[in-house]
Amino acid sequence: MTTSNSELQSWVDDIAKLTQADEIHWCDGSDAEYRRLVQQMLADGTLSELNQETHPNCYLHRSDPSDVARVEHLTFICTENEEDAGPNNHWMAPAAAHAKIDQLFDGCMKGRTLYVIPYCMGPLESPYSRCGVEITDSPYVVINMKIMTRMGTAALQRIEKDGTFVRGLHSIGELDPERRFIMHFPAELSIKSYGSGYGGNALLGKKCHALRIASYQARTEGWLAVHMLIVGVENPAGETHYLACAFPSACGKTNLAMLIPPESHKGWKIWTLGDDIAWLQVDEDGQLRAINPEAGYFGVVPGTNEKTNRNAYEMIRHDTIYTNVGVTADNQPWWEGLTEGTPVLDWQGRPYDPEVSPAAHPNSRFTVSASQNASYSTLADAADGVPIAALVFGGRRREVAPLVYQAKSWAHGVLVGAGVASETTAAAAGEVGVVRRDPMAMQPFCGYNFADYWAHWLSFEQRSDKLPGIFHVNWFRQNKDGDFLWPGFGENLRVLRWIIDRCEKRVDALATPIGMLPAIADIDTEGLDIDPAVMEELLSVDHTQWSAEMTALAEDFSRYGDRLPTELSHQLQTVIEELAAKDAA
Ligand code: GTP
Ligand code: SPV
Ligand code: MN
């Protein structure tokens, strides 16, 4: 196959020459192609078959044990000026970065097939969508991209029509952590990734394109790329509100996006539009709209069960790729949090020994088409996306952050987002459970200087007077024994209801220095076994802790120097002063 886009054709030719690939395969995105690649990977051991009676068309991939998560210390933003990448990113000059990584690509596909994957992020007909082409030597990447994006012939046709596309070059290389880099060239709209076959490092449409490169592109084009799920909440009267929520990696986006309303909430329905990434645009009426650029879910497996997330539990029983889970004696996938079955092999294929390792890696993942989710909204395919009623930020915080609060204004909401901090998780290599700043849940994913990203967010106030309310939630408050105070999961609907009531001006709130909090009586706890004292704790604002939190934020902001928008320092100063005034009173 070839293409009428001569730029694409000559790029593929150049890469084939550089990498010395044996063969070139242009992906058409068909089911037959998917099946053929699965057969090939079953034959060479890249995949193994799971129990086809209990889990039809489900396969297991065991990644290299050194290659199980994103690697932020090896991820670079390559801009001419270091300042443009900002203190939030690792930086390398473009020429040096190209030289360093091209040397690794030199001859790396000898004996391998080079796959060309044209893909479209977002509905094929949407003006908000953007296309890319990933070149890879990994058939595992091809089948994942088939599920995660609109991939193949139709995407290639759109590229030929648009004329533009993001270039992503990927090779698994030797899977050597010493020869591993994920490099981004925002000004060139290109990505080069070498030495990892895992998730966000290798499926370049996802974090590399749809967040890092797209955030940069969005700034020049006047839109926003955000690490947000998109969910529709339908009340018993049949009205649906759409919310977009940003939580850091492994902090509950997939779960919230497909929440099952609890027993007490008859008549409520949840519709899933997206579980990880949203692209936000202001339409001609000033309404903020969102599309999900993805077509599938690359979700955290551990913890998924009938009680926590029945939709996910059911959708991953067929046509699913599992990465790094354990297996039972009869070859069913097994992970921590599953209430039935017993593992015999762990994620590395070794006899299961809880003293040595959990059965499933904590960052083990499922790859599944979004359409398999029972709560899938067909509006995920709508060219103009959905109107957004509220934006919600959140983090995993043992203490400090209350269950929910609302920002006082758009500009204050940008501060609330910029102030997100969260305990680290297994989604990235490194220590787990330490609080780190993760502004807008984008710390690992913003393709340029955060100060400029916040300025871009603030600029939306000039574009529309109909912007949605901004909120902050925390499902993860704990008591002294380390138990979660809030039941979470399906019960989170109770908090979403308060958020929607606020947007509809149906409920008052209490003004505090950090924002507007619900009165305890305004969070419906009917049918929930929760002590009023616990609710009080969940909705409390400890001024000493908050003063310390704001000091930490001010310190973080100081890293951005003059580039920090004055409006943001002003918002922070106001919170600090109000906290001090309350303490003095
Ligand atoms: P990424 O795919 O890495 O971006 O993660 P995510 O934000 O989609 O996180 P996900 O929904 O997969 O949840 C990650 C972990 O948090 C899982 O182990 C869940 O069981 C747990 N979790 C999700 N929601 C809640 C909640 O409301 N309360 C508690 N306590 N845990 C939750
Ligand atoms: C995340 O880490 O936020 C993920 C998984 O969604 S990955 O695709 O690896 O980035
Ligand atoms: Mn994510």
Side-chain angles (χ1 to χ4, degrees):
M1 204 158 105
T2 52
T3 172
S4 64
N5 184 307
S6 57
E7 247 179 83
L8 173 55
Q9 187 64 54
S10 61
W11 177 55
V12 171
D13 293 344
D14 289 348
I15 298 303
K17 203 179 285 167
L18 171 68
T19 59
Q20 298 173 37
D22 267 21
E23 268 180 69
I24 300 177
H25 176 89
W26 288 71
C27 299
D28 61 16
S30 64
D31 294 343
E33 176 181 75
Y34 181 90
R35 285 194 298 270
R36 203 153 28 76
L37 287 171
V38 166
Q39 289 312 317
Q40 177 193 317
M41 281 183 276
L42 288 171
D44 72 16
T46 309
L47 289 182
S48 58
E49 210 165 52
L50 289 163
N51 187 321
Q52 295 297 298
E53 258 156 55
T54 57
H55 291 76
N57 301 316
C58 288
Y59 305 97
L60 169 64
H61 172 69
R62 292 193 181 105
S63 70
D64 188 277
S66 78
D67 187 30
V68 294
R70 284 181 291 99
V71 282
E72 294 176 12
H73 61 295
L74 302 174
T75 301
F76 291 83
I77 299 295
C78 308
T79 47
E80 286 300 337
N81 297 319
E82 184 168 0
E83 285 268 281
D84 293 334
N88 46 302
N89 281 304
H90 298 295
W91 172 83
M92 214 184 280
H98 281 302
K100 197 172 186 85
I101 203 161
D102 285 350
Q103 193 190 317
L104 300 178
F105 279 110
D106 195 350
C108 74
M109 296 190 193
K110 260 185 223 157
R112 297 182 188 171
T113 298
L114 177 160
Y115 299 93
V116 183
I117 312 172
Y119 62 87
C120 180
M121 299 311 288
L124 281 158
E125 302 302 327
S126 172
Y128 303 152
S129 301
R130 296 288 181 273
C131 291
V133 177
E134 175 167 358
I135 292 180
T136 181
D137 54 10
S138 162
Y140 168 80
V141 166
V142 177
I143 61 168
N144 275 272
M145 286 289 284
K146 149 92 170 153
I147 295 174
M148 295 301 298
T149 71
R150 287 132 174 118
M151 181 271 259
T153 309
L156 183 60
Q157 282 163 359
R158 171 149 176 174
I159 289 167
E160 290 171 344
K161 200 170 70 193
D162 287 359
T164 57
F165 61 97
V166 169
R167 298 161 190 231
L169 171 58
H170 170 255
S171 171
I172 56 170
E174 306 79 25
L175 295 174
D176 175 358
E178 300 298 318
R179 288 162 60 84
R180 181 174 293 162
F181 292 103
I182 326 293
M183 290 170 169
H184 303 74
F185 305 90
E188 302 167 21
L189 301 184
S190 84
I191 306 153
K192 291 184 177 177
S193 166
Y194 190 89
S196 166
Y198 197 84
N201 301 331
L203 312 176
L204 301 187
K206 198 172 175 60
K207 296 310 188 347
C208 298
H209 176 167
L211 287 179
R212 298 196 190 96
I213 297 293
S215 62
Y216 181 95
Q217 197 175 18
R219 185 180 170 214
T220 56
E221 295 177 359
W223 49 282
L224 285 164
V226 293
H227 193 199
M228 289 186 176
L229 68 95
I230 311 166
V231 67
V233 180
E234 183 181 330
N235 67 19
E239 300 160 336
T240 305
H241 291 85
Y242 296 95
L243 279 60
C245 314
F247 312 147
S249 300
C251 290
K253 288 183 300 302
T254 301
N255 275 270
L256 191 70
M258 51 191 74
L259 168 161
I260 305 271
E263 278 300 315
S264 56
H265 282 62
K266 292 257 176 324
W268 289 81
K269 280 194 201 126
I270 291 289
W271 298 104
T272 314
L273 283 296
D275 83 323
D276 198 47
I277 299 175
W279 286 356
L280 307 175
Q281 297 258 6
V282 176
D283 71 12
E284 39 314 342
D285 298 327
Q287 171 67 53
L288 193 71
R289 309 191 71 85
I291 63 159
N292 171 14
E294 301 189 281
Y297 312 126
F298 184 66
V300 177
V301 179
T304 306
N305 64 45
E306 236 172 331
K307 278 227 174 73
T308 55
N309 190 344
R310 194 179 75 226
N311 282 330
Y313 177 77
E314 280 168 4
M315 81 184 169
I316 63 176
R317 292 194 70 94
H318 66 99
D319 298 276
T320 298
I321 304 167
Y322 286 87
T323 300
N324 293 341
V325 295
V327 290
T328 62
D330 67 345
N331 216 18
Q332 297 192 44
W334 197 93
W335 55 86
E336 279 64 24
L338 204 60
T339 46
E340 70 273 345
T342 315
V344 295
L345 298 181
D346 72 10
W347 61 277
Q348 296 187 55
R350 305 171 301 190
Y352 171 61
D353 178 354
E355 301 287 314
V356 175
S357 160
H361 187 277
N363 192 37
S364 53
R365 298 265 168 173
F366 54 75
T367 314
V368 65
S369 167
S371 60
Q372 286 185 204
N373 171 11
S375 65
Y376 175 74
S377 166
T378 52
L379 288 179
D381 267 315
D384 60 346
V386 291
I388 294 298
L391 294 173
V392 184
F393 292 106
R396 184 185 282 268
R397 294 301 293 272
R398 231 161 282 173
E399 43 188 13
V400 186
L403 181 62
V404 59
Y405 63 99
Q406 180 180 12
K408 301 169 229 179
S409 63
W410 179 263
H412 178 237
V414 176
L415 175 76
V416 168
V420 169
S422 193
E423 289 153 28
T424 50
T425 65
E431 207 183 336
V432 168
V434 289
V435 176
R436 74 154 178 183
R437 306 228 68 88
D438 193 347
M440 291 160 160
M442 284 286 280
Q443 170 51 46
F445 309 121
C446 186
Y448 60 101
N449 192 317
F450 257 143
D452 301 339
Y453 187 64
W454 299 325
H456 183 48
W457 266 83
L458 288 165
S459 74
F460 278 70
E461 211 167 17
Q462 276 84 61
R463 304 252 313 271
S464 168
D465 53 8
K466 290 188 210 141
L467 293 173
I470 300 183
F471 297 78
H472 188 283
V473 298
N474 178 20
W475 316 137
F476 300 94
R477 275 284 273 262
Q478 292 178 13
N479 65 17
K480 286 176 194 70
D481 301 329
D483 307 314
F484 291 114
L485 291 174
W486 177 249
F489 302 101
E491 307 296 349
N492 292 335
L493 177 57
R494 299 170 188 271
V495 175
L496 302 188
R497 282 176 54 202
W498 183 79
I499 290 173
I500 291 165
D501 283 346
R502 283 297 294 164
C503 296
E504 291 291 343
K505 303 194 168 50
R506 290 194 284 238
V507 65
D508 281 336
L510 310 169
T512 81
I514 69 160
M516 317 290 288
L517 263 84
I520 290 176
D522 289 334
I523 301 284
D524 178 4
T525 53
E526 196 162 330
L528 198 62
D529 184 21
I530 194 164
D531 205 303
V534 170
M535 284 309 292
E536 203 156 318
E537 193 176 344
L538 280 166
L539 293 172
S540 62
V541 178
D542 180 318
H543 284 198
T544 313
Q545 282 183 338
W546 270 94
S547 293
E549 183 78 8
M550 293 299 102
T551 306
L553 184 54
E555 206 174 293
D556 186 57
F557 279 177
S558 71
R559 299 193 298 144
Y560 296 89
D562 293 349
R563 253 164 125 129
L564 188 78
T566 41
E567 177 63 30
L568 210 54
S569 345
H570 168 72
Q571 290 293 334
L572 177 60
Q573 213 43 49
T574 308
V575 176
I576 290 173
E577 279 161 23
E578 286 183 18
L579 281 166
K582 278 266 167 127
D583 281 346

